Amino acid sequence: MKVLFIDDHNMLRESLSLALQNQIMDFEFLQASSGKEAEAALLKNADCSLLLLDLRIGNENGLSLLAGLRKIRSDIRTLVCTAFCEPLVVENAMKMNIQGFISKTSDLSEIATALRTVAQGKEYFCAEVVSVMKANYAKIGPDWPTVPTARQNCSQSIKRFQKKSAKFLNCFQKKLIRLILPLS
């Protein structure tokens, strides 16, 4: 599987690509340091099916870049890898229908696990991101479930709501519910 790693920091991109190549032998890592390079790499490599994307690439916004890359390959899976894990940043990325979000503080094995998971068509959000999002939504009000039983009851209510109102929930809302209240 080909992965396009887009980050403007050459040393980080090159060393992480090399380290990941040693961890995940069946992945091939392509590299781009700008939006132009990323577009060229996608056009040249029709079999590239996954992006490892930073959100700040020089003066470029990674999510704007992602929108452009999706015009080339609409079904490309995306794992965000960034130092910016604030709730609004995560929400904006989730609204772009990313499949995963990890922090640049993640260790190599977690990044490899995240890549494998996203490559399999599943979602992966690192513990730091889940914690930040839960803390942010806990501020919404005192009704946020804090004990396992309350969380389970809330989870069951959400399941019922999703079944009845699935057509009213957009992709972002569904992903956010799964992230902050994992359903069993």
Side-chain angles (χ1 to χ4, degrees):
M1 169 175 280
K2 287 186 180 177
V3 178
L4 177 56
F5 185 7
I6 309 166
D7 193 304
D8 61 321
H9 295 98
N10 293 336
M11 185 175 71
L12 171 72
R13 189 185 66 251
E14 291 172 4
S15 58
L16 187 54
S17 292
L18 184 60
L20 286 167
Q21 187 69 58
N22 290 328
Q23 287 268 324
I24 316 171
M25 302 290 192
D26 53 336
F27 282 32
E28 179 183 342
F29 290 88
L30 309 170
Q31 298 180 37
S33 63
S34 68
K36 245 182 198 180
E37 285 182 17
E39 287 176 10
L42 269 188
L43 289 169
K44 184 178 177 183
N45 295 277
D47 56 343
C48 180
S49 58
L50 191 125
L51 300 176
L52 181 57
L53 176 69
D54 189 10
L55 292 182
R56 289 206 184 147
I57 302 138
N59 292 328
E60 296 178 87
N61 177 305
L63 295 178
S64 297
L65 173 60
L66 177 58
L69 295 175
R70 291 237 170 105
K71 289 178 183 173
I72 297 170
R73 184 98 23 83
S74 62
D75 61 342
I76 197 154
R77 296 181 194 123
T78 306
L79 174 63
V80 169
C81 181
T82 188
F84 306 100
C85 295
E86 294 81 22
L88 186 59
V89 173
V90 177
E91 283 183 20
N92 287 336
M94 290 172 70
K95 287 176 183 175
M96 291 292 298
N97 199 27
I98 60 157
Q99 286 68 44
F101 198 112
I102 55 175
S103 169
K104 283 189 175 177
T105 61
S106 299
D107 62 28
L108 184 62
S109 63
E110 182 172 27
I111 296 170
T113 298
L115 281 165
R116 282 189 199 103
T117 302
V118 170
Q120 294 170 355
K122 300 175 188 170
E123 294 178 346
Y124 187 95
F125 292 85
C126 71
E128 179 183 350
V129 167
V130 172
S131 176
V132 164
M133 295 305 287
K134 282 183 177 181
N136 184 58
Y137 282 90
K139 295 175 190 175
I140 290 174
D143 297 330
W144 178 256
T146 54
V147 295
T149 306
R151 207 175 267 129
Q152 185 178 18
N153 292 340
C154 186
S155 174
Q156 290 168 353
S157 296
I158 289 172
K159 279 183 184 178
R160 284 193 300 275
F161 174 76
Q162 284 180 310
K163 285 179 183 175
K164 291 180 181 177
S165 307
K167 63 183 177 184
F168 300 112
L169 291 175
N170 65 35
C171 183
F172 163 70
Q173 291 166 325
K174 290 176 186 177
K175 195 173 285 194
L176 185 59
I177 288 169
R178 285 194 309 268
L179 178 66
I180 61 175
L181 254 182
L183 305 177
S184 52

